[in-house]
Amino acid sequence: MAGRIRREDIDLVRERVRIEDVVGEHVTLKPGGVGSLKGLCPFHDERTPSFHVRPHVGLWHCFGCGEGGDVFSFLQKVDHQSFTEVVERLAARAGVTLRYEDGDGPRPQDVGRRQRLLDAHAVAAEFYAEQLTAPGARPGREFLSRRGFDRAAAEHFGVGFAPQGWDSLVSHLRGRGFRDDELVTGGLARRGSRGAYDAFRGRLVWPIRDVTGAVIGFGARRLLEEDTGPKYLNTPETPVYHKSQVLYGLDLAKREIAKRRQVVVVEGYTDVMACHLAGVPTAVATCGTAFGADHIKVVRRLLADDDARHGEVVFTFDGDEAGQKAALRAFAEDQRFVAQTYVAVSPDGMDPCDLRLARGDEAVEALVRTRTPLFEFAIRAALRRFDLDTAEGRVQALRAAAPVVAGIRDQSLRPEYARMLAGWLGMDVESVRRAVAAAGRRGPEASGAVARGGPGSASTAPQVPRPDLRDPVVRAERQLLQAVLQFPHRVPAAFDDLGAEAMQAPAHRVLHDTVRALGGVRAAGPGWAERVREHAPVEVQSLVGELAVAELPATGEDGVSVLAAGLVRDTVDRDLLRREAELRGRAQRLEAAGDDDAASAVYRELFELEARRRALRED
């Protein structure tokens, strides 16, 4: 681990870097008297310049808000980076080799390599942006137009187009002096039998920037029918790009985030664009991965998330089942924030981009403005699993929801949520309060969260019951999920057609949901089990690790194929049988209500399911 940077090296960096040049990249400076420059303060709103820089002493100060310091503190504040990060960044800029005490710092060759990769990405971003106006980029322009984005929007976000040619970008970068090994290392190219070729071809491309605005990677959207790759293709892990620490749009949103003390987390690049254009400039998105602990660290630093200054984090998710589950995964991380957390889901299930297209900018602003506290969302989600029209269902719902209320970190809010829960359940308040108090006494294992002792303290995830392996159906589910994790290429594709309720054990259902969200066994590739574990909710991650190494009752991969085929066939049969029972019940209720036309439609669906079951048994 790197030790502290030597003081004399810090002083040398400060000496060599011109503060007026660094500040001038963020503030328009004009002469403000002898030896002074002035401009509008970037840290608070003002109309009359009160922000002053004195180059000869290397200091800045704002007489409006009282902030001030040297070149390091300016970048720390404006770019939300640590002192060490700022010094290392300016040292590279000034050509100073840093030395570290009590540890090894980055080697000079590593610093040089990083800058080369950043330079290559900057050139690539310019190349892609230029290509968006070329004749071959018409599908990209049409896609943007259909999504409500004009040329100005594309330019603002740096959207570009990767030509269909095999090595268009590679050839361009070679001409600018970059080596093939640098392009492959940076994720801009891949290496084939005939040499390096472009990583992205025939796709719309978004540059992904770090908090300073440096391009570190790209996200590419499929446009052409002949493109058989995934819908979105992102830069792989590289020395400059780590997806678990990157938020798309952060470079554009950081100032508004600090100003408004709000972060809006959306799900995609076009959602970020739509939000910013609609008046929600605090929107950011993850890049091909779930919102996790490292993202939370980035957000907390931007919000200055501490007990003295509360901000808010708003998660927007699609209204479909996957979006609902993503919101609950975010709820599992809630305790890591001091900021209040909310969820915003459009009633008709539209994401911000679709919402802007259908209803305009005001609808996007309203979506964020009418957000729901994440705890309320989690409680209501727990209640939806039970039939509240029956006494048994209400009791079960109370048992499920009471630990959620008990886990609310702000103790002053718990009585109010207990009162709200009583109203939703139709139960007396005192009974609900006693249940919440009892759940709290049972501790974090019951509540699914722990009271925060300070910012960033760990949380305990909601518990999912261990599968009961005495049940033969549960044992079969376990074996099937083992095969899915260990030998996905040996699992019949019919597995991917299983419904959300196909698994009986709750833990297996959660794991199945994760596999479905990742595209099923058809989408499996290198590192599949680790990918599933990474995306799985915290409460089943240990189960993923267990199933990924547990022994299967089969000999060789051919034996796994036979076992998996039988397990899938039986699971599909049980799923169809369950769905048939649901349809029969629905048809009977419709008949009783006198709605014969609707009942007939349900019976037709029922007959189709019965035919599928017969065909399955005959195979």
Side-chain angles (χ1 to χ4, degrees):
M1 181 177 179
R4 291 182 301 175
I5 302 171
R6 291 188 180 182
R7 169 55 56 185
E8 55 266 36
D9 292 345
I10 295 173
D11 292 340
L12 182 59
V13 172
R14 186 186 287 109
E15 177 184 326
R16 288 192 180 180
V17 172
R18 294 166 57 92
I19 188 173
E20 64 270 32
D21 292 342
V22 174
V23 173
E25 294 172 0
H26 301 270
V27 179
T28 299
L29 296 173
K30 298 180 179 180
V34 179
S36 179
L37 301 169
K38 67 179 182 180
L40 295 175
C41 179
F43 307 124
H44 80 287
D45 288 328
E46 62 177 8
R47 295 184 178 180
T48 303
S50 57
F51 180 90
H52 288 251
V53 177
R54 288 196 174 273
H56 69 284
V57 295
L59 296 175
W60 62 274
H61 182 84
C62 176
F63 293 94
C65 65
E67 295 283 354
D70 61 7
V71 67
F72 301 134
S73 65
F74 177 82
L75 285 182
Q76 280 183 265
K77 189 169 179 63
V78 78
D79 285 334
H80 304 280
Q81 289 187 301
S82 68
F83 177 78
T84 300
E85 289 172 325
V86 166
V87 174
E88 290 176 344
R89 175 178 156 196
L90 290 179
R93 173 173 174 162
V96 175
T97 300
L98 297 176
R99 296 166 296 173
Y100 295 76
E101 299 173 355
D102 305 321
D104 296 323
R107 297 173 301 174
Q109 59 266 38
D110 291 336
V111 175
R113 181 181 68 162
R114 175 181 173 82
Q115 190 58 50
R116 288 281 295 176
L117 295 181
L118 293 178
D119 291 344
H121 278 80
V123 175
E126 293 175 357
F127 173 79
Y128 287 142
E130 291 171 356
Q131 293 300 311
L132 187 60
T133 62
R138 181 177 178 181
R141 295 193 296 272
E142 291 176 345
F143 174 87
L144 289 172
S145 179
R146 288 195 304 270
R147 305 302 285 164
F149 304 121
D150 57 18
R151 182 170 181 175
E155 291 177 352
H156 179 70
F157 290 93
V159 184
F161 181 78
Q164 289 182 262
W166 185 253
D167 61 354
S168 301
L169 176 65
V170 168
S171 296
H172 180 75
L173 289 172
R174 284 172 181 161
R176 297 290 292 271
F178 294 98
R179 303 187 307 273
D180 286 6
D181 64 305
E182 293 175 319
L183 307 185
V184 174
T185 298
L188 295 168
R190 297 174 183 173
R191 195 178 298 281
S193 58
R194 293 181 292 172
Y197 62 93
D198 292 357
F200 309 116
R201 301 184 305 281
R203 287 179 173 243
L204 201 61
V205 177
W206 283 263
I208 300 170
R209 299 182 173 93
D210 65 14
V211 71
T212 71
V215 179
I216 56 175
F218 295 92
R221 209 274 188 195
R222 185 182 63 211
L223 298 171
L224 308 174
E225 291 185 5
E226 58 266 31
D227 187 341
T228 59
K231 183 176 180 181
Y232 280 95
L233 188 63
N234 295 301
T235 293
E237 292 286 309
T238 73
V240 297
Y241 179 79
H242 307 287
K243 64 181 179 181
S244 65
Q245 302 170 13
V246 175
L247 290 168
Y248 174 73
L250 192 61
D251 58 307
L252 299 174
K254 62 184 179 183
R255 291 188 184 179
E256 287 297 320
I257 289 173
K259 176 181 174 182
R260 303 188 185 198
R261 299 198 48 71
Q262 177 197 69
V263 174
V264 177
V265 182
V266 299
E267 292 197 309
Y269 307 124
T270 56
D271 290 333
V272 170
M273 294 175 69
C275 283
H276 282 239
L277 296 174
V280 184
T282 57
V284 297
T286 59
C287 301
T289 186
F291 189 84
D294 286 337
H295 295 122
I296 290 173
K297 293 177 183 177
V298 174
V299 168
R300 292 192 68 243
R301 187 165 63 188
L302 287 166
L303 288 174
D305 190 31
D306 56 39
D307 291 317
R309 296 177 291 179
H310 291 292
E312 65 177 41
V313 180
V314 182
F315 296 95
T316 72
F317 298 103
D318 292 346
D320 58 15
E321 181 183 348
Q324 302 280 315
K325 293 184 182 301
L328 293 180
R329 284 197 295 272
F331 165 69
E333 298 283 0
D334 173 81
Q335 297 296 310
R336 296 179 184 268
F337 287 107
V338 172
Q340 296 298 313
T341 49
Y342 300 86
V343 62
V345 177
S346 175
D348 44 16
M350 288 190 285
D351 59 35
C353 187
D354 289 333
L355 193 60
R356 178 172 178 262
L357 271 175
R359 300 181 186 171
D361 293 349
E362 173 56 31
V364 177
E365 290 186 292
L367 173 68
V368 176
R369 190 169 60 247
T370 57
R371 64 208 182 281
T372 300
L374 194 51
F375 271 108
E376 178 180 335
F377 181 87
I379 294 168
R380 287 185 177 274
L383 299 184
R384 281 196 296 270
R385 305 201 312 264
F386 304 96
D387 183 0
L388 302 185
D389 292 332
T390 67
E392 293 81 0
R394 289 191 294 273
V395 170
Q396 291 172 343
L398 176 59
R399 289 173 180 165
V404 181
V405 178
I408 296 177
R409 62 172 178 267
D410 188 342
Q411 296 187 28
S412 64
L413 288 176
R414 292 180 196 170
E416 177 62 16
Y417 273 102
R419 185 190 64 76
M420 293 168 64
L421 177 58
W424 295 331
L425 290 172
M427 302 175 71
D428 68 277
V429 175
E430 283 307 313
S431 295
V432 173
R433 285 177 177 168
R434 286 195 296 269
V436 170
R441 287 193 297 271
R442 288 195 294 272
E445 289 78 11
S447 69
V450 292
R452 181 187 288 103
S457 60
S459 65
T460 302
Q463 300 297 299
V464 175
R466 286 283 301 178
D468 184 359
L469 297 181
R470 294 173 297 181
D471 186 330
V473 172
V474 174
R475 287 201 303 272
E477 291 176 355
R478 175 185 171 90
Q479 290 177 0
L480 177 54
L481 290 173
Q482 284 178 246
V484 166
L485 291 170
Q486 298 176 29
F487 303 98
H489 56 289
R490 292 287 183 170
V491 177
F495 173 85
D496 291 346
D497 298 325
L498 289 170
E501 303 297 324
M503 297 288 169
Q504 178 174 301
H508 292 166
R509 196 175 301 137
V510 172
L511 178 50
H512 180 218
D513 288 341
T514 303
V515 172
R516 293 174 69 224
L518 291 173
V521 293
R522 295 183 181 96
W528 167 244
E530 178 57 24
R531 187 166 152 227
V532 174
R533 193 198 68 80
E534 176 186 346
H535 285 79
V538 176
E539 61 266 31
V540 297
Q541 287 184 350
S542 62
L543 178 63
V544 175
E546 177 183 333
L547 299 185
V549 299
E551 185 177 352
L552 276 165
T555 302
E557 290 197 19
D558 289 339
V560 171
S561 296
V562 174
L563 174 67
L567 292 169
V568 169
R569 182 177 58 251
D570 292 343
T571 306
V572 170
D573 185 70
R574 285 193 301 271
D575 191 41
L576 292 175
L577 191 61
R578 176 190 58 78
R579 290 160 64 185
E580 285 180 19
E582 291 176 353
L583 288 174
R584 286 196 186 92
R586 189 192 309 170
Q588 290 169 2
R589 289 192 296 273
L590 290 170
E591 285 181 330
D595 194 343
D596 293 337
D597 290 340
S600 297
V602 174
Y603 276 123
R604 284 194 295 272
E605 188 177 352
L606 179 60
F607 293 151
E608 291 175 3
L609 286 182
E610 289 175 340
R612 286 180 60 187
R613 282 195 70 218
R614 286 194 300 272
L616 185 68
R617 288 194 296 269
E618 292 169 0
D619 284 346

